[in-house]
Amino acid sequence: MGKSVCVIAEFRGGDLRRVSYEVASEGKRIADALGSDLCAVALGSGIAEKAAELGRYGVKKVYIVDDPALENYLAESYVPIIADIIRQCDPAAVLLSASVDGKDLAARLSARLDVGLVQDCTEILVEDGKIRVKKPIFAGKCFAWNEWIEGAMPLISCRPNVMQCLTLSEDQRAEVERVDIPVPETRSRFKSMDLDTSGRVGLSGAEIIVSGGRGMKEAQNFAMLEDLAKLLGAAVGASRAAVDAGWRPHADQVGQTGKVVNPNVYIAVGISGAIQHLAGMGTSKYIVAINKDPDAPIFSKADYGITEDLFKFVPAFTEEVRKLKSTCS
Amino acid sequence: MSKSSATAGKDKTMNVVVVLKQVPDTESAIRIAGDGKSIATEGIKWIVNPYDEFAVEAALRLKAKHGGKVTILSYGPQRVVESIRTALAMGADDAVLIGEDDIESSGRLQLAKAMAAAIRSLNPDLVIMGFRAVDNDMAQRGPMIAEYLGWPHLAFAVSIESDGNQVTIKRPIEGGSVTLESTLPALVTLGGSHAVWNPRFASLPGIMKAKKKPLAVKKLSDFGLDPAQFAPGAGKTRVISLEMPQERQPGRIVDGGLDTEGKARELTRLLHEEAKAI
Ligand SMILES: Cc1cc2nc3c(=O)[nH]c(=O)nc-3n(C[C@H](O)[C@H](O)[C@H](O)COP(=O)(O)OP(=O)(O)OC[C@H]3O[C@@H](n4cnc5c(N)ncnc54)[C@H](O)[C@@H]3O)c2cc1C
């Protein structure tokens, strides 16, 4: 059996993040294809019990460093520890999530270990024992297939919500090994965390996104989209024009300089479909466009187009969805 | 305010370096070149990577507050000079270009090493740059450079404050945000959007002045680096092919002479029965 494949698991508030299940599942597929085992690395505070749950996804052994000083991610403390563990287990490949922290960690780790990194991969193949990865470039206007030069260890971050989650066995536990590496002194410090407790669906994991553009006319009109989104269990997004106008927070911007999203359904309301917007949502499974201008470029990308005044159409559509939801449940 | 923080809080002039990448205009339609592995660059308009433009803005605001100097650092062929002049016209003071045509094909770690060497020679208090470039979208150069410098880095900032001794940023994470702090020297990468940073335009007088600002074109050897180690293909990864996204089937306009309610009903039906999405 060859060297094992290693995944870096991500914890927040003592809980394993969902993205880590995806990465572990993907890691298991690769380990199987290479005929090797899957191991994991996890840093955090009070995580031993939860780390063992990685066994469900095929992880045999988890190396953990459990220390109150590691409760929150900080590149300066995490990177040296993880690099040490990886050097010791000398894996065939290392996978982690292309989450906000994951990408940051991967980048610095790559320099520290002198290994090649490809970020934000959407597909990983093993062909003739070689790993090849696909990643979007130009915010999804194009895709690049990458491979590693002979003898180089692949470091791969996986785009969230793309890799399939496989549960092998609900009660399979991974062996947990505590690694004794001291937490380094750092010049940077974690000050505070502020979590959104409104219960709103976040853009990055949303199955359905309702997005508004300049056609929404003013901030309070977004209440209409919030209502629709609530019914659909959707997140609310925005075009740059709507964000620049101050109608929506910048974190809601979808596009080349905003978030790249990949939902099942993307509903673009009063958005023209500029190339920079399309770059951020063009890979959605279904695109719905609601626009009063029949020549709006968004229609060329939309699976379902509605040429109507949004102020008339959105309330009517919301009503229909409400009816459907009440008959379904 | 305590005595110690009164002295610690005393503003110092700051030496800020902004790392700038030149990228294809975001308007560009992307085409695959004849080699199947790169982007066709004929007819492409080049711009400052938008996130690096945010970095120029952030640096200029720190300078306005503390005094000091903003230096632009970039790399690549002669065409990059135009993007550097844009940043100088916004108000940066001077610039260094690592003028090696092929440096981008030497691999990402190599490039980060070269940038770190150049930064060391400039001896700044703070380095600011975009958290990603809108072309290859790797989100890795900043942390890599910081690692080679042996400095802390704070990534993906949507706000940056500094008193000349330390830097504080806010960084969005999934479902919230965190506040991080570091003593200087440090490297910060910026996220956010145009709405957050609202980068200034280059004024006409700014453009005139930019032409006279110092722009040093340097070679790798000027930083004590061995050019042989930065040859094309020195990277650990390589692109084997590019692929365009699948063409979408032409969409369907939901109309058929229906009134608003009829269209709403039809869309709901399509999403429910055909797309099975709601
Ligand atoms: C460097 C750079 C980066 C950028 N990054 C992004 C990005 O990340 N995301 C992004 O979105 N954009 C981005 N842009 C901006 C982009 O070019 C467009 O300006 C922007 O997407 C337009 O937003 P919009 O479609 O909401 O507005 P508009 O283009 O003004 O379109 C508004 C639409 O609403 C329709 N409309 C108006 N009233 C109604 C009504 N009552 N009912 C129905 N329809 C109506 C109109 O017909 C029109 O089609 C970027 C631009 C640059 C230069």
Side-chain angles (χ1 to χ4, degrees):
Chain A
M1 188 169 276
K3 292 195 264 185
S4 53
V5 169
C6 179
V7 295
I8 301 170
E10 204 174 303
F11 277 85
R12 186 184 294 165
D15 280 324
L16 199 52
R17 298 195 60 218
R18 197 203 125 81
V19 287
S20 298
Y21 307 160
E22 296 170 7
V23 171
S25 303
E26 190 64 20
K28 175 66 179 157
R29 271 187 287 269
I30 292 164
D32 286 348
L34 293 173
S36 65
D37 274 345
L38 184 64
C39 68
V41 177
L43 269 53
S45 176
I47 57 167
E49 264 307 295
K50 289 274 164 65
E53 285 176 13
L54 284 163
R56 291 181 189 172
Y57 307 93
V59 172
K60 281 236 163 109
K61 191 169 186 176
V62 196
Y63 300 95
I64 67 164
V65 182
D66 201 342
D67 190 311
L70 296 171
E71 169 149 18
N72 296 298
Y73 171 76
L74 192 64
E76 229 189 326
S77 55
Y78 271 52
V79 171
I81 298 176
I82 294 175
D84 265 7
I85 297 174
I86 289 175
R87 272 195 211 102
Q88 284 171 37
C89 54
D90 186 26
V94 175
L95 272 70
L96 72 172
S97 166
S99 59
V100 172
D101 291 343
K103 277 199 265 198
D104 184 52
L105 170 71
R108 191 148 186 159
L109 194 59
S110 152
R112 188 154 190 114
L113 290 171
D114 195 30
V115 299
L117 164 65
V118 182
Q119 295 267 46
D120 208 19
C121 297
T122 52
E123 205 177 326
I124 308 177
L125 294 179
V126 180
E127 291 167 338
D128 312 322
K130 254 186 129 106
I131 291 178
R132 303 208 159 99
V133 296
K134 181 181 171 182
K135 76 151 274 131
I137 55 175
F138 293 92
K141 285 186 205 165
C142 189
F143 291 88
W145 280 99
N146 290 263
E147 66 177 18
W148 279 260
I149 58 164
E150 208 54 48
M153 188 204 72
L155 176 61
I156 301 166
S157 71
C158 305
R159 174 173 289 195
N161 303 310
V162 175
M163 310 295 181
Q164 291 279 330
C165 244
L166 302 173
T167 308
L168 281 185
S169 148
E170 271 304 323
D171 43 32
Q172 189 78 37
R173 320 260 312 153
E175 180 197 335
V176 177
E177 183 176 325
R178 287 175 184 273
V179 186
D180 193 18
I181 299 177
V183 180
E185 291 279 327
T186 62
R187 282 209 281 124
S188 51
R189 291 168 295 279
F190 182 93
K191 296 292 284 182
S192 60
M193 185 184 295
D194 201 0
L195 289 180
D196 177 9
T197 51
S198 68
R200 286 183 358 133
V201 181
L203 269 187
S204 29
E207 280 289 302
I208 305 181
I209 295 172
V210 182
S211 252
R214 203 192 312 266
M216 295 305 295
K217 300 280 188 301
E218 51 185 309
Q220 61 240 50
N221 292 333
F222 272 84
M224 203 162 67
L225 301 190
E226 296 280 0
D227 286 348
L228 176 59
K230 211 169 196 176
L231 273 178
L232 293 170
V236 176
S239 72
R240 176 176 159 191
V243 171
D244 280 358
W247 304 339
R248 301 301 291 176
H250 72 87
D252 290 358
Q253 183 175 316
V254 172
Q256 190 149 18
T257 50
K259 292 217 167 76
V260 176
V261 296
N262 195 24
N264 197 16
V265 182
Y266 188 88
I267 306 177
V269 186
I271 293 176
S272 62
I275 191 165
Q276 297 95 342
H277 191 79
L278 296 174
M281 43 62 88
T283 55
S284 307
K285 185 134 180 255
Y286 290 95
I287 295 175
V288 179
I290 300 162
N291 198 302
K292 67 179 180 190
D293 173 9
D295 296 324
I298 187 86
F299 285 124
S300 69
K301 296 282 171 195
D303 299 279
Y304 308 124
I306 314 281
T307 318
E308 275 244 29
D309 185 330
L310 71 92
F311 295 101
K312 273 171 64 190
F313 184 77
V314 173
F317 178 49
T318 306
E319 200 39 50
E320 286 302 322
V321 174
R322 198 186 311 278
K323 275 193 221 157
L324 175 77
K325 294 278 172 181
S326 61
T327 51
C328 284
S329 55
Chain B
M1 198 189 273
S2 77
K3 226 180 185 173
S4 67
S5 71
T7 39
K10 189 139 198 293
D11 284 5
K12 281 202 326 198
T13 62
M14 283 175 76
N15 202 349
V16 183
V17 165
V18 174
V19 177
L20 179 153
K21 181 177 188 182
Q22 189 184 53
V23 296
D25 189 350
T26 56
E27 280 293 333
S28 312
I30 297 304
R31 285 175 301 115
I32 300 173
D35 68 358
K37 298 180 199 179
S38 59
I39 295 298
T41 50
E42 305 92 67
I44 276 194
K45 198 180 141 215
W46 297 91
I47 61 165
V48 177
N49 174 40
Y51 293 95
D52 299 339
E53 200 175 7
F54 304 162
V56 176
E57 177 62 36
L60 293 173
R61 287 187 206 169
L62 287 173
K63 181 188 155 181
K65 214 163 140 198
H66 302 281
K69 191 168 103 161
V70 175
T71 301
I72 306 298
L73 173 64
S74 193
Y75 54 91
Q78 186 61 27
R79 62 169 153 75
V80 177
V81 167
E82 198 189 325
S83 291
I84 294 178
R85 293 275 178 219
T86 303
L88 292 172
M90 286 169 75
D93 297 282
D94 58 6
V96 174
L97 171 70
I98 307 179
E100 306 269 2
D101 288 359
D102 288 332
I103 193 162
E104 270 218 80
S105 43
S106 73
R108 301 190 167 87
L109 291 167
Q110 293 307 92
L111 191 45
K113 263 180 217 163
M115 304 308 282
I119 289 166
R120 234 179 258 120
S121 78
L122 293 165
N123 192 29
D125 304 292
L126 181 65
V127 173
I128 316 181
M129 60 196 288
F131 90 108
R132 66 169 158 114
V134 298
D135 53 0
N136 290 329
D137 220 338
M138 281 295 207
Q140 54 176 229
R141 184 147 306 140
M144 281 178 177
I145 293 174
E147 175 65 25
Y148 289 130
L149 288 169
W151 289 6
H153 82 269
L154 309 177
F156 199 44
V158 294
S159 75
I160 177 168
E161 277 161 43
S162 178
D163 62 4
N165 299 297
Q166 58 175 35
V167 59
T168 307
I169 68 142
K170 217 177 164 123
R171 151 189 174 87
I173 54 170
E174 295 87 357
S177 67
V178 295
T179 303
L180 305 173
E181 192 176 85
S182 177
T183 50
L184 298 178
L187 183 146
V188 172
T189 71
L190 299 191
S193 64
H194 287 86
V196 171
W197 299 105
N198 195 14
R200 69 195 68 189
F201 290 110
S203 64
L204 192 59
I207 293 169
M208 300 310 290
K209 265 192 229 154
K211 292 184 181 151
K212 296 197 200 89
K213 288 183 178 171
L215 193 168
V217 181
K218 301 268 188 173
K219 290 281 159 197
L220 288 163
S221 49
D222 293 331
F223 304 112
L225 299 169
D226 173 8
Q229 293 185 345
F230 295 80
K236 309 257 174 195
T237 65
R238 59 180 159 233
V239 173
I240 43 179
S241 63
L242 296 187
E243 188 178 299
M244 294 308 280
Q246 273 192 326
E247 275 293 328
R248 296 191 80 92
Q249 295 300 313
R252 184 178 337 162
I253 298 294
V254 180
D255 192 348
L258 296 167
D259 61 3
T260 305
E261 281 69 32
K263 287 184 210 171
R265 210 170 303 127
E266 179 61 2
L267 177 62
T268 309
R269 188 191 70 76
L270 286 168
L271 288 174
H272 183 57
E273 291 174 14
E274 199 176 274
K276 301 200 186 326
I278 66 174

